[in-house]
Amino acid sequence: MPDLLKVKDLKIAFQGSDESIEVVHSIDFSVSGGGETVAILGESGSGKSVTCLSLTNLLPPAPSCTVSGEILFAGQDILKMDAKALRQIRGAGIAYIFQEPSASLNPVFTVGYQIEEAVRLHRPDLSDAKARTVELLELVGIRDAAQRYRAYPHEMSGGMQQRVMIAMALACEPKLLVADEPTTALDVTIQAQIIDLLRELRSKLGMSIVLITHNFGIVKGFADEVLVMYQGDIVERGPVETVLSAPQHPYTKALIACIPKLGAKQHRLTTIDHEMAASQ
Amino acid sequence: MTAFILRRLLSLIPLLLGTSLLVSILMYLSPGDFLTQARAARDIPQEVIEQQERQLGLIDASGAPTRWFVRYGHWIANVAPIKYGPWVGAPEKGLHFGWPYFGESWTYQVEVFSLLKQRVPATFILSLTSITFAWCIAIPLGVLAALYKDSIFDRLSALLAYAALSIPEFFLAILAVYFASITGLFPEGGRSSVESEFYPWALQWVDYAYHLILPTLVLGVGSVAGMMRIMRANFIDYMRAEFANTARAKGLRERVIMFQHVLRNAINPLITSFGYSFASLLSGALLVENVMNYPGLGQLIFDALIREDQYVVMAGVMIGVVMLVLGNLVADLMLAWADPRIRNAQTGSSLSVGVGKTTWVWMALLAVLAVEILLEVIAPALLLQIGVGLKYIGILLAGLLAVACVALVGYIVYVLFKRLIGPVLRRPLGAVSIAILGVLYSAALLAPCLAPYPITEQNLDKAYHPPTGFVWKEGGLQAKLYAKQSLGSPVYKATGESLPVKLFAKTDPYYLWGFIAMQRTLFSLDPSVPNARLYLLGADDTGRDIFSRLLYGSRISLSIGFIGISITLILGFIVGSLAGYYGGTVDFFAMRFVELLMSIPALYLLLALRSALISPELSPGQVYMIIVVLLSVIGWAGTARIIRGMTLSIRNRSYVLAAESMGQSLPKILIKHILPNLASYLLVAATLSIPGYILAEAALSFLGLGISEPSASWGLMLKQSQGNMIVFFMNFWWMLVPGFAIFITVIAYNVLGDTLRDCVDPKMQVR
Ligand SMILES: Nc1ncnc2c1ncn2[C@@H]1O[C@H](COP(=O)(O)OP(=O)(O)OP(=O)(O)O)[C@@H](O)[C@H]1O
Ligand SMILES: [Mg+2]
């Protein structure tokens, strides 16, 4: 499979009060098309979210944030695109699911309207956008989809809101789905359901996924490849099994040790020792 | 939804009863009555007056003054739409239904209702046009300023907004009238032209509209500024919201995101403010109506208050309360329509919340009233003694309060200097505003040294003398001399002569601050030359020096905010922190009381209280104290509410709980643990509230209820300028200087307050 997405020498810096602060230092990775799943792991603040946002240039504009390097999506450089071309990629090429579904949905519009907006935008050929929206709601497992079409975000539970977000992302059948901690705001049982849903959709629609998470537990059995980010660098990468069985970087080791093992005798959850990780 | 509307309308009844009761008590307490002036005019025979008194119901059949509750009972009986004869409003036995009868206006000798029928629509239309104007201007400006944040346009509009928020409304009205009279582009006042009755109806409407333009602009400008700032801040917040990013990730155009997704969210807070602004405009247009001679409700109520035309006042206040409630209701409905999250919460809310406690509040109030009425009937002497006792308790409390105020202000100033003065001075705007305030306050303190003439010194042949010009002659600065062009007309011309200006020359000895003996003033003319005057800022209608009056007047305007805010803060802190700390019943009672205070339009409350306390024998100092106390007694409610909220969030922090568990006493906890957390907030709130006091005092004096002649205050000086400029059709611009002085002071405080807030916490909600 050819590379769907190829990121080369990506650097992201924010303008601080008097100097610019680089939060991502020159990272490279790639995702191939047709269903490959890459998981990005890393602690809070390591630069996972900004990396993903940069994939379709969603970061704040130039003076407050500068992105350099190359982001090739289907051979075209996202960073060199004009606004119009970029809009074509957004949604239709790369779609997002964000961490906090309640904040990511606009509270004053019905969920149906918000999904339909995306449908109309990228599928002007469809005569009945509403039917397609209801279909999407059903696809992500919302019962009474025709009714729920008229619901407002606040009338739904967190899990349902996240399903709506997924439906919205699928509206234009993207080639790549970026899921930024899609389950962190949800409780454990719902987490499993959402991951199962993603797995199912992946095989049904054949899209590639970039999954961001803190949680090695989710990565196991879902992703093909893992990238571990630490303070703006990719410190380790490789197939999931390899990284899990033989982690190289101390931060990865600590992260793996954090996975609570069922039935294992453990008195304290391991925490991450920054001094040790940084010294590597 | 219907249940919700019904509930709101039902809540009107107790509110109306409460306010009408309050107003009638206040009117009863105010010295004198409608006939006081007639009595003072000795040419009206005693019998006529007595007959009048009987007719108006001021005395009963036996000739004794009627008691307030009897009058109030009559009023209620007339106003109630459901009457039960023969006691309540109807002569025959049984239940009757009928329109409320509001009584007759004593001044105009017509039914109050017919007066209202003329005035309410006029005010209603004015409110509507000015709100529409404000919305139509503020929203686009706010959005543009947000979209082009930090651009020249943004900076400029922020600057203009500052100016618009700081200019006193009545001064703006004066400027508008002045502008109209100079250019002749607009009518100078009124609601229609004199001859408009003979116009065809279409032209009549055009005439109305033409007369509405200036009042609409004047009333609208303040709201434009306030709403624009809110709009800009909201819009910027929502531009960064996650849902905006989601919309972007979908591939929507930026324009669609901004004008659909962001705008719909950012506009909601403005909708909430709509009801409030509607009600406050309806009742708060008084000053503008007064200056622009617009026959509205505000002017009607004001005149009636001054003349003690009781039924007009009562009816007017009732209308005001109804408008407040209706305005808020409309706002809530609109918000529910705009914001789906509120829609459900409202329709589903329960009816029984707080009903039990509210009943208790009303029962307690009624019990107090019943005891009062009983005492008044059975033992008036005892009531008088209780009154005296309460007075002494009041004085004692006031003394304690004063001590507390000084301590609190000292503490806040200490906080200011310890933590914030550095950062504030480092910001250019902060430094400038501190410098301006420094100059103003030093000038006020040094007024006796700086003022060339005593403020009461008249010079009748120099009325409306223009500001003196200077020449450099014979190696020194010389002041030009002026003479009237013709006797009787206030037009002056330079004579070509001049006199040297003496610096630090000797004058009559005086004491600075009451104990420093001084003999020199900064500048003066040779006193041996008769009739030569140096008017730095011109002279007023009796030839008094405006510059000197301005200096002395600044002492009032600049100190009133300081004293007022310290009383407000201490009251707000005590009530708010106790309510927040204890919660439960204490909280409930305190907050209901606060809401009651906040629900009455402040200006009318102020006027009513002020007219209740007014009497000619008060000295200027006493009037000053009364005004300060009134302003702060009315103003503390909002502060109390915010402090309560903050206390509530602080009290559960672990250090407070720890202190509690160690058995520290309540005052100690409040002062040691809660106050320091509030200090910065108090400082910012104080700085931003001081302008309110300055403006309120100016407005009161302007209306003739504050500082009175011959003392000087900025509002009072503006009042002089008002009539004369229209009478003479002349360009006495120097009479407007006090208005600019108010403007500069207020803007300096606003800038300082905002700078302080930025240093403390940019997201802090203060107003
Ligand atoms: N708009 C911004 N302005 C300035 N700095 C930012 C901005 N957004 C992110 N950062 C900084 O970039 C760094 C990376 O943030 P990022 O949100 O990518 O972390 P993350 O790995 O997604 O963490 P989390 O797991 O908590 O979501 C952080 O140090 C953050 O402070
Ligand atoms: Mg993140």
Side-chain angles (χ1 to χ4, degrees), chain B residues 452-453 468 470 479 501 523-525 532-537 545:
Chain B
Y453 303 106
T468 305
F470 294 95
V501 178
F523 62 92
S524 56
L525 289 185
R533 283 281 184 285
L534 196 172
Y535 290 123
L536 201 58
L537 288 175
D545 179 27

Side-chain angles (χ1 to χ4, degrees), chain A residues 48-50 99 180-181 212:
Chain A
K48 307 182 297 290
S49 292
V50 289
Q99 174 170 357
D180 186 355
E181 306 192 30
I212 294 183

Side-chain angles (χ1 to χ4, degrees), chain A residues 14 23 42-51 60 99 180-181 214:
Chain A
F14 284 99
V23 296
E43 64 170 346
S44 196
S46 58
K48 307 182 297 290
S49 292
V50 289
T51 304
Q99 174 170 357
D180 186 355
E181 306 192 30
H214 291 291

